[in-house]
Amino acid sequence: GADLDFRPILDRPLETLHSLVNFNVITVTTASYFFLRAMRSRNRGGAVIMSSVSGLVGGQPGSGMYSATKAFELTLAESLHCELRPHNVDVIGVAAPPMSTPAAVRALQAAGTASPQIISALYKPADVVRTVLSMLGKSPSCIFDFVGVETELGAVTASARHRRMRAVETSVAKMFPPEKLASEKPGK
């Protein structure tokens, strides 16, 4: 869920921070657990986990908690992509850009920054959906450029992220071979 409170983390009520974690971490984890387990047992399916480009930028004053939960969503989706690929279940994480939604326009209006230039620069939700669905089954994540940033940023970020994921996956498989782990019983 979106977060329109741009105060520093420690200046916000603890309940609002817990609410962000509940919505963007606990709810997404719970839904993924139940829906994706069912897809895995059927040996087919697909899921889109929506995150935000904010999850990639980290350390931004006024959006730290939101960015942290969005980083979690993207990492969860990419992990599930790797884990479920052998079961014919496609999962993609979306680092969504700022989109022209009624809520976004209201937020810009409330902030006094809803100029026609800014609103026209926002991505159209239908375009985002088309792009994401075209990538489902082909990539662990779909990373969009942030409005106003050069258009190659998303592609460069996604490419580097996917290379790192493959390298780590290969290294971990060498250290902890899946067939060896499957044969060991917990607690040994």
Side-chain angles (χ1 to χ4, degrees), residues 51-64 66-68 70-71 74 95-96 98 143-147 149 153 157 161:
S51 178
S52 168
V53 293
S54 294
L56 298 171
V57 295
Q60 299 302 304
S63 67
Y66 176 75
S67 295
K70 292 300 176 177
L74 189 59
I143 298 173
F144 285 86
D145 295 323
F146 200 81
V147 172
V149 177
L153 179 63
T157 303
R161 191 174 179 94

Side-chain angles (χ1 to χ4, degrees), residues 86-133:
H87 302 281
N88 298 311
V89 177
D90 298 321
V91 179
I92 189 166
V94 182
M99 290 185 269
S100 180
T101 63
V105 172
R106 281 194 304 274
L108 290 169
Q109 289 168 338
T113 57
S115 71
Q117 261 182 314
I118 289 178
I119 291 176
S120 68
L122 297 174
Y123 283 76
K124 292 175 180 45
D127 294 340
V128 171
V129 170
R130 257 190 301 284
T131 300
V132 170
L133 292 179

Side-chain angles (χ1 to χ4, degrees), residues 34-47 84 87-91:
F34 287 108
F35 287 109
L36 292 173
R37 281 173 60 99
M39 290 179 201
R40 183 183 66 182
S41 70
R42 288 194 312 267
N43 209 39
R44 66 183 174 89
L84 295 173
H87 302 281
N88 298 311
V89 177
D90 298 321
V91 179

